[in-house]
């Protein structure tokens, strides 16, 4: 290293040391400067704060204090000053809290006011919608009222007046007697005076007093049983009159007459029998006395000669009119010959073999099983009293009968599994012998012994009598007993025989009639008949027997109805039950405003004034056009009803072409959806309304609530409240004003049968029977009403039930209310029925069924279902999905008690016993609205929103 380099190195090291010091000195100074600035800034900031607090205006005191307090948080304070500060802050906090609570209360009040105003707005909107709907209904109502007014003017122009009387009020004038030849050829057109029987006369019938106007020979007297029962049963008939001047026909009781010296005793029906069993011959009729009757008029026109055979068929002359000059009088008896019987003029009737009247179902056998122990039965013995008087016709008949007997014996003993009971000789010998000279088959044994055989026979044989007889008393007695026991009659020689009331009764539906030549085909034919046809014929046979043959009352009523039917005169109107108000005449029940539903309803129908169903419009056509149905289907030709559920329906185009009266087609015929549907009733029948019948018993508040819900219900005519309680309603009870009359009817006694009384206050065909706790919406009621209009002959309602076979005992029915896909009953606690069925329930249904309803205080709804299904052979119709009804707040119903169900089990089985079979039929569908669950355009409405 050189000296220069050494010096240079020394110099550089010495110079590096101060620079490093100087560097550290600068950083220290910078730190001091910064600290000084910060301290100065603090004093400046404090100064400014003091000046600013002194210059702060009064309205900024809180802000200045806040700034000061913020500074004080940093600055140390004395304890006393800190306490003052805390107290001040607490005071401020309390003041702010009070202000906040006041603001919250004001906010809540404003929100409440807003909610109330919104609610009022919604209510006004609902009211606007309701008023708009009501306005539309009123417009429709005005239009329909105008149509109804025009129809009323047309209907009453010109006014229909009664026809002019055909005769003056007087007894028949004396006429010259007609010849015997003309007597044998009498017809209604030649031997009957129609001028005494006007269409509007009501067919008055006059009965000669048997004790005063006797037409029997000396030594004879009319049976006391007949005299008493005939007078009594005719007294119950509405056609009987005691004024001969007004009479259409005059009835003369001719027989059965008995010798006065014979000792007589009564059997269980009060029918006489001879103790010594003697027989007698000859006629008891005195023709001279007959022609001396005060109103005979010389030729006996419009006279009815009644000759009834009695229960004891071994006595009596049978055909007492043989060879007798009876003029123009009609003959009514059981036995006729070919030259004597004038078809369409005389009348064949069965003998008097039953009680005076009342329930007769105990006499009948059960209809099931369809096929009984014996396929065919016969018990009888050929008998003729006077062999010397037989002619060649009888000889031929005897030959044919012998062939028939031989073939029947061969058939019964052949190779077949079918059983026969054929007895052609009476063992022991019978005294039931025909006193006439014709060949006829006597009855074997007693009535009970024959009944025990017939109830085990599927068919029973009736052999026609020999000779020229068209009917005999013994033959008619066999027919009577066969129908009673349910053994289907098989009439051999039926082509020569005349059956009772053949003008009106369709015997082909209840009996088999064959010529004797078909005896070889008999077994084949009987085996070819199905079970359904067997039971149909057996049911029809029992219906004929019960309604027309079973008792004296049935026989007398049927004779009068048959003669009236010939003349085309309608029967007397059926008597209604007078509805007596539960209130005194001077008492006016208090009214209250109805409780309106807050929910806006759809327009379900127009508002109409009360419109009763037209009554008695088919007086002169129902029994002309539907005479066959009245006699054979409904079995009720005895009374005239205001309306029938079987009235014919007009074709669809008739309501637009000439027969528009009363019809309200949907859309005036153009159809439509919900809007047009709600404006008109439509359907196949003219416009009508319905009546609600409510049965109640000491549940006033429940009843008032139910009545209130009916306010504004379209097509409601009136409400009938059947007050079943012996206690009258409370005087301070307020009855809701529902816009239609409410009739509170006093029931004669506490009975569930009162639900179906045909009150005169019911003026509509449709009757809605409801319990007082049933809760139905308006749309449900109206839908049920519309469905009923298409099924007028059936029960249409809501709660469905069914009868179930007892699988444990295998011999009984049970009542079942479980959910099921099959039902057979609709409970009348909420169901539509036709008023016609209330008449049948009250006047036709066997009294034993109504007594059972009173015994259990139950089962009236089951009885009504039995009745309707028995008449129509159709099941009920269930509507909507409702299965039960739950009434909020109502007390527990009796139907929830197990005893209630046990009683209903017994009711079904008892009613089956009374009817002879179970008429209930099953159904597997219910009715819903057409557009239900159907997707439709947004501009269309459904028929019902929820149905």
């Amino acid at each position: 290293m050189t000296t220069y380099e050494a010096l240079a190195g020394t110099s550089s090291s010495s110079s590096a040391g101060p620079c490093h010091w100087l560097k550290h000195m600068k950083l220290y100074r910078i730190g001091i400067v910064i600290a000084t600035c910060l301290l100065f800034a603090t004093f400046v900031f404090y100064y400014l704060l003091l000046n600013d607090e002194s210059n702060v205006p009064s309205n900024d005191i809180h802000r200045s204090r806040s700034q000061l307090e913020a500074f004080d948080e940093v600055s140390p304070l004395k304890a006393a000053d800190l306490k003052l500060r805390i107290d001040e802050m607490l005071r401020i906090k309390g003041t702010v809290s009070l202000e906040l609570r006041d603001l919250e209360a004001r906010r809540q009040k404003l929100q409440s006011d807003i909610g109330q105003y919104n609610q009022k707005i919604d209510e006004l909107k609902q009211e606007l919608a309701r008023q708009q709907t009501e306005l539309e209904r009123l417009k429709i109502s005005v239009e329909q009222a105008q149509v109804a007014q025009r129809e009323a003017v047309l209907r009453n122009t010109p006014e229909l007046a009664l026809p002019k009387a055909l005769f003056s009020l007087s007894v028949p004038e004396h006429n010259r007697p007609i010849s015997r030849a003309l007597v044998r050829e009498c017809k209604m057109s030649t031997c009957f005076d129609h001028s005494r029987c006007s269409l509007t006369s009501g067919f008055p019938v006059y009965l000669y007093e048997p004790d005063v106007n006797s037409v029997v020979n000396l030594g004879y007297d009319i049976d006391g049983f007949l005299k008493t029962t005939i007078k009594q049963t005719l007294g119950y008939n509405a056609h009987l009159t005691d004024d001969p001047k007004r009479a259409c026909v005059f009835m003369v009781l001719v027989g059965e007459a008995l010798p006065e010296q014979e000792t007589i005793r009564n059997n269980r029906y009060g029918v006489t029998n001879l103790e010594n069993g003697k027989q007698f011959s000859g006629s008891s009729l005195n023709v001279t006395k007959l022609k001396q009757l005060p109103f005979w008029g010389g030729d006996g026109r419009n006279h009815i000669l009644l000759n009834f055979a009695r229960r004891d068929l071994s006595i009596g002359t049978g055909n007492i009119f043989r060879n007798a000059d009876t003029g123009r009088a009609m003959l009514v008896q059981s036995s006729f010959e070919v030259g004597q019987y004038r078809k369409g003029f005389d009348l064949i009737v069965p003998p008097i073999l039953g009680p005076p009247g009342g329930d007769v179902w105990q006499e009948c056998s059960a209809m099931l099983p369809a096929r009984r122990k014996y396929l065919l039965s016969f018990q009888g013995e050929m008998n003729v009293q006077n062999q010397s008087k037989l002619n060649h016709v009888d000889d031929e008949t005897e030959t044919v009968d012998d062939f028939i007997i031989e073939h029947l014996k061969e058939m019964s003993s052949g190779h077949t599994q079918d059983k026969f009971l054929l007895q052609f000789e009476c063992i022991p010998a019978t005294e039931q012998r025909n006193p006439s000279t014709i060949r006829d088959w006597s009855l074997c044994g007693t009535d009970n012994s024959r009944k025990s055989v017939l109830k085990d026979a599927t068919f029973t044989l009736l052999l026609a009598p020999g000779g020229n007889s068209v009917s005999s008393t013994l033959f008619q007695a066999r027919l009577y007993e066969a129908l009673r026991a349910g053994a289907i009659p098989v009439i051999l020689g039926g082509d020569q025989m005349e059956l009772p009331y053949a003008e009106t009764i369709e015997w082909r539906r209840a009996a088999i009639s064959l010529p004797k030549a078909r005896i070889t085909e008999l077994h084949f034919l009987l085996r070819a008949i199905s079970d359904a046809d067997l039971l149909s014929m057996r049911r029809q046979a029992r219906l004929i027997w019960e309604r027309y043959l079973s008792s004296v009352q049935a026989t007398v009523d049927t004779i009068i109805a048959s003669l009236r039917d010939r003349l085309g005169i309608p029967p007397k109107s059926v008597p209604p039950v007078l509805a007596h108000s539960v209130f005194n005449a001077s008492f006016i029940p208090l009214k209250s405003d109805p409780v309106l539903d807050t929910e806006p309803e759809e327009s379900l129908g127009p508002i109409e004034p009360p419109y009763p169903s037209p009554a008695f419009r088919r007086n002169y056509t129902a029994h002309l056009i539907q005479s066959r149905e009245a006699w054979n289907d409904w079995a009720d030709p005895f009374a005239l009803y205001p309306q029938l559920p079987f009235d014919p329906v007009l074709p669809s185009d008739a309501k637009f072409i000439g027969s528009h009266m009363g019809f309200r087609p949907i859309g005036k015929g153009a159809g439509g959806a919900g809007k047009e549907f709600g404006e008109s009733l439509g359907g196949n029948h003219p416009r009508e309304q319905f009546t609600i019948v409510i049965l109640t018993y000491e549940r006033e508040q429940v009843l008032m609530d139910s009545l209130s819900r009916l306010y504004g219900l379209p097509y409601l005519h009136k409400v009938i409240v059947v007050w079943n309680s012996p206690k009258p309603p409370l005087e301070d009870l307020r009855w809701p004003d529902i816009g239609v009359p409410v009739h509170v009817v006093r029931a004669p006694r506490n009975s569930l049968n009162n639900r179906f009384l045909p009150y005169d206050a019911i003026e509509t065909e449709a009757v809605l029977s409801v319990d007082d706790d049933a809760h139905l919406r308006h749309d449900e009621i109206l839908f049920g009403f519309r469905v009923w209009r298409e099924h007028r002959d059936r029960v249409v309602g809501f709660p469905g039930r069914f009868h179930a076979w007892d699988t444990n005992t295998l011999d009984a029915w049970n009542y079942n209310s479980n959910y099921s896909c099959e039902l057979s009953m609709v409970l009348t606690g909420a169901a539509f029925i036709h008023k016609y069925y209330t008449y049948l329930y009250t006047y036709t249904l066997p009294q034993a069924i109504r007594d059972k309803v009173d015994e259990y205080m139950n089962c009236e709804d089951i009885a009504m279902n039995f009745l309707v299904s028995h008449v129509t052979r159709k099941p009920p119709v269930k509507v909507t999905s409702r299965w039960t009804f739950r009434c909020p707040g109502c007390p527990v119903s009796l139907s929830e008690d197990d005893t209630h169900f046990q009683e209903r089990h017994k009711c079904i089985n008892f009613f089956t016993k009374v009817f002879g079979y179970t008429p209930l039929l099953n159904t597997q569908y219910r009715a819903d609205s057409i557009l239900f669950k159907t997707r439709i355009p947004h501009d269309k409405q459904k028929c019902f929103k929820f149905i």
Side-chain angles (χ1 to χ4, degrees), residues 685-759:
H685 296 270
R687 71 182 182 112
E688 59 185 329
Q689 297 176 348
F690 61 91
T691 302
I692 292 181
V693 176
I694 303 177
L695 186 71
T696 186
Y697 184 88
E698 297 183 358
R699 295 203 294 185
E700 289 84 354
Q701 191 54 51
V702 173
L703 174 64
M704 297 304 108
D705 295 340
S706 296
L707 290 175
S708 298
R709 290 192 291 268
L710 300 177
Y711 177 79
L713 179 61
Y715 306 115
L716 177 60
H717 183 258
K718 67 174 64 170
V719 178
I720 307 293
V721 177
V722 181
W723 194 266
N724 239 17
S725 172
K727 302 177 183 178
L730 300 176
E731 294 186 359
D732 59 349
L733 186 64
R734 304 189 69 87
W735 296 80
D737 184 1
I738 61 174
V740 298
V742 177
H743 293 264
V744 186
V745 178
R746 182 178 67 251
R749 58 191 178 90
N750 183 18
S751 171
L752 293 179
N753 292 313
N754 296 332
R755 181 194 297 272
F756 302 125
L757 289 177
Y759 293 109

Side-chain angles (χ1 to χ4, degrees), residues 875-934:
V877 177
K878 173 175 169 48
V879 294
T880 76
S881 60
R882 279 188 181 263
W883 195 262
T884 59
F885 293 96
R886 301 187 182 276
C887 174
C890 293
V892 177
S893 174
L894 293 175
S895 61
E896 299 179 10
D897 187 7
D898 182 66
T899 305
H900 172 83
F901 282 90
Q902 296 301 323
E903 291 173 348
R904 294 172 84 79
H905 299 331
K906 297 176 183 178
C907 283
I908 290 181
N909 291 286
F910 178 75
F911 296 168
T912 296
K913 184 178 179 181
V914 173
F915 279 92
Y917 74 115
T918 305
L920 299 177
L921 295 173
N922 295 317
T923 181
Q924 298 180 354
Y925 78 94
R926 74 170 191 235
D928 289 309
S929 178
I930 289 180
L931 295 180
F932 181 61
K933 290 190 176 181
T934 300

